[in-house]
Amino acid sequence: QQQQQQLLQQIDSNISPIRKLPSRDVDKSVFSLDLVKIENGEDQRKTIMIRNIPNKYSQKMLLGAIDEEFRGKYDFFYLPIDFKNKCNMGYAFINFISWLDIIPFAYRFRFKKWDRFNSEKVCELTYARVQGKDELVQHFANSSLLSEDKKCRPLLFVSDGIRKGEPEPFPYSQPGQPLSRQYHFDFGEEE
């Protein structure tokens, strides 16, 4: 129980400790969404895992469903793809700009069947292991995913200002150097 208390304190201080602990040592309830705690400001984590996505959903289809109500409310999205069969792996990650936007998102998607492909799968939402846009950028900065087809890459969006919600390039780090807070952006040619 003392370890759980320490874990919750680290989460509150915006550190991503879960990544550092072996998964068997982590109480799975740490990942559960509690909408009352979110509404009361007791849980301000922003990155969630969308689970039980039908494998035929593409990034474009899933973002289309999300953007109907939540465009401009998130600044990171990633739908992992199985490169062998070109289908998604059944889960995605989204980082909300405000933790409060998780509440309407949960009401819209949580425990609901998916609209397409006559799927019996029911959407589940949990907190992600890696939390926050900066942590997610650090996590993926040196990933080989960034050299894959654009439909398979993590996506970043502007978090505030006049361009809020617009796509932004994914930063990369210089070889042998960690990504600093001042990102290096790849403004490669658009396809």
Side-chain angles (χ1 to χ4, degrees), residues 3-176:
Q3 184 182 16
Q4 188 175 9
Q5 289 286 353
Q6 290 172 334
L7 182 64
L8 292 174
Q9 287 173 343
Q10 287 176 326
I11 289 170
D12 288 340
S13 64
N14 221 7
I15 298 172
S16 185
I18 298 168
R19 178 173 37 179
K20 297 171 187 161
L21 295 174
S23 60
R24 66 181 178 275
D25 294 340
V26 176
D27 178 0
K28 300 294 184 205
S29 68
V30 171
F31 300 107
S32 298
L33 293 182
D34 182 332
L35 299 183
V36 173
K37 285 184 177 180
I38 295 169
E39 187 172 27
N40 292 337
E42 296 170 41
D43 196 335
Q44 297 182 11
R45 289 178 283 176
K46 299 177 185 180
T47 310
I48 62 171
M49 183 178 191
I50 305 166
R51 302 176 62 194
N52 296 330
I53 301 167
N55 298 93
K56 292 182 182 178
Y57 265 77
S58 68
Q59 186 180 79
K60 185 177 181 179
M61 280 185 234
L62 188 54
L63 281 175
I66 292 169
D67 282 348
E68 286 177 15
E69 297 176 44
F70 299 97
R71 185 176 187 84
K73 303 285 186 185
Y74 59 92
D75 54 14
F76 176 91
F77 177 83
Y78 177 49
L79 177 66
I81 301 295
D82 179 338
F83 298 116
K84 189 174 186 179
N85 66 23
K86 300 293 185 197
C87 292
N88 79 63
M89 297 176 71
Y91 58 92
F93 300 96
I94 188 168
N95 186 71
F96 287 92
I97 296 168
S98 167
W99 74 90
L100 291 171
D101 287 320
I102 292 174
I103 297 169
F105 189 84
Y107 283 122
R108 167 64 181 86
F109 289 101
R110 190 179 192 192
F111 308 131
K112 305 249 170 59
K113 287 187 180 179
W114 295 94
D115 295 336
R116 295 186 171 200
F117 306 116
N118 272 339
S119 176
E120 292 298 312
K121 289 186 175 186
V122 175
C123 178
E124 292 183 29
L125 304 176
T126 60
Y127 282 111
R129 180 178 53 84
V130 179
Q131 283 292 315
K133 185 178 183 180
D134 286 344
E135 286 285 325
L136 291 160
V137 166
Q138 291 283 347
H139 183 78
F140 288 103
N142 293 316
S143 173
S144 62
L145 289 169
L146 298 179
S147 61
E148 294 293 338
D149 183 330
K150 288 187 179 191
K151 297 174 197 156
C152 303
R153 297 180 195 170
L155 303 174
L156 287 180
F157 301 89
V158 178
S159 302
D160 55 22
I162 198 164
R163 294 187 53 237
K164 183 177 178 180
E166 291 181 21
E168 70 176 326
F170 209 96
Y172 66 94
S173 64
Q174 300 294 338

